[in-house]
């Protein structure tokens, strides 16, 4: 038996715009994705029984076919029919249903681990193609770093890496359904679009202040009235040293960009004292 450990990193959206909707219901997006250091740990071990099993330290998550880890392993087993199976052990740290693509990151980690353990010889591109069968964010999670995601999120263009910045991540104790948020957006006649091109320019100039100032998320106007805690977290972060704070994905997680680690730590302590968050992490961007 052999095993591989993969770190499955979460992402934040520095920018998120919605351009329309495909006939099959998927939304056409223009998003700037950025990997952060907050990660789940995925250990994949081979077994001789041929079964695909998993355990997870968070008992609110399913450990059957509803978990993206199991689906990722089955996808490769069905296609390559390698000898033996795998036992997956997932340690969860990325907030769940929080706009940080945690499930997609875990699935990406399982695909990479199985490729390695069974010598499948799949390139990154091959893995990304298979990941897309399971979820639109999985190709990005395989690629990582700073990227523009278009189409339904699967058309990826690598951008110059965002300079390292301190990121405070705070999830209020509220769950939002991504589907519900997109539906509410669809029912609006018009909405204000963030300037994704200006954000890309700021990234090219490696200007953290410019990036923070140009960040925008079209879904903010939809989720924030439903979850007042989001605005509150943004205000607290911006009053306590964040260059800017914003919601990631469909929310409700808020992240603040700081250029000073001490200020971020003071802000984290303040939020901890206020007891407003289910998850609170001081982290940084990674490439
Ligand atoms: P995105 O940013 O792509 O919208 P998200 O952060 O909103 O993702 P996830 O945490 O990836 O959402 O998970 C959303 C749902 O997917 C959860 O409610 C959970 O039941 C299911 N799920 C399946 N597998 C996993 C996994 N390994 N980790 C987390 N959630 C998973």
């Amino acid at each position: 038996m052999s095993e591989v450990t993969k770190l499955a990193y979460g992402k934040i959206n520095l920018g998120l715009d919605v351009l329309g909707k495909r006939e099959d219901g998927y939304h056409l997006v223009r998003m700037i994705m950025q990997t952060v250091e907050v990660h789940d740990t995925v250990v994949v071990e081979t077994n001789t029984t041929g079964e695909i099993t998993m355990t997870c330290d968070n008992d609110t998550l399913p450990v059957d076919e509803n978990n993206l880890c199991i689906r990722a392993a089955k996808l490769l087993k069905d296609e390559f029919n390698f000898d033996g199976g795998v036992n997956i052990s997932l340690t969860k740290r990325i907030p769940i249903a929080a706009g940080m693509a945690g499930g997609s990151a875990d699935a990406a980690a399982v695909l990479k681990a199985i490729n390695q353990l069974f010598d499948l010889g799949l390139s990154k591109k091959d893995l990304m193609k298979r990941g897309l069968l399971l979820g639109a964010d999985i190709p990005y999670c395989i690629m990582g770093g700073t990227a523009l995601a278009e189409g339904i999120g699967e058309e990826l263009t690598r951008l110059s890496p965002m300079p390292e910045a301190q990121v405070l991540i705070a999830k209020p104790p509220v769950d939002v359904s991504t589907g519900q948020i997109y539906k509410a957006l669809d029912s609006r006649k018009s909405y204000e679009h963030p300037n994704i091109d200006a954000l890309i320019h700021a990234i090219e100039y490696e200007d953290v202040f410019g990036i923070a100032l140009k960040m925008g998320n079209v879904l903010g106007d939809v989720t924030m009235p439903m979850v007042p805690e989001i605005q509150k977290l943004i205000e607290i972060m911006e009053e306590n040293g964040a260059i800017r704070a914003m919601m990631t994905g469909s929310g409700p997680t808020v992240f603040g960009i700081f250029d000073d680690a001490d200020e971020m730590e003071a802000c984290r302590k303040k939020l901890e004292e206020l007891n407003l968050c289910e998850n609170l992490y001081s982290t940084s961007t990674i490439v």
Side-chain angles (χ1 to χ4, degrees), residues 11 61-62 66-69 90 92 95-104 106 137 178:
K11 62 89 180 155
L61 280 182
N66 291 310
N67 198 298
L68 279 165
C69 291
L90 172 62
K92 206 66 202 163
I96 296 166
M100 291 188 67
S104 301
D106 298 341
D137 280 347
T178 302

Side-chain angles (χ1 to χ4, degrees), residues 11 13 33 40 54 56 60-62 64-71 90 92 94-107 136-138 141 176-178 182 248-253:
K11 62 89 180 155
N13 291 105
M33 319 285 267
D40 295 341
M54 92 172 268
C56 180
T60 66
L61 280 182
D64 56 15
E65 298 244 358
N66 291 310
N67 198 298
L68 279 165
C69 291
I70 296 276
R71 288 171 49 200
L90 172 62
K92 206 66 202 163
I94 303 173
I96 296 166
M100 291 188 67
S104 301
D106 298 341
D137 280 347
I138 298 177
C141 291
V176 301
S177 140
T178 302
Y182 273 96
T248 180
S250 53
T253 305

Side-chain angles (χ1 to χ4, degrees), residues 87-98:
N87 306 323
I88 302 163
S89 155
L90 172 62
T91 306
K92 206 66 202 163
R93 204 157 170 269
I94 303 173
I96 296 166

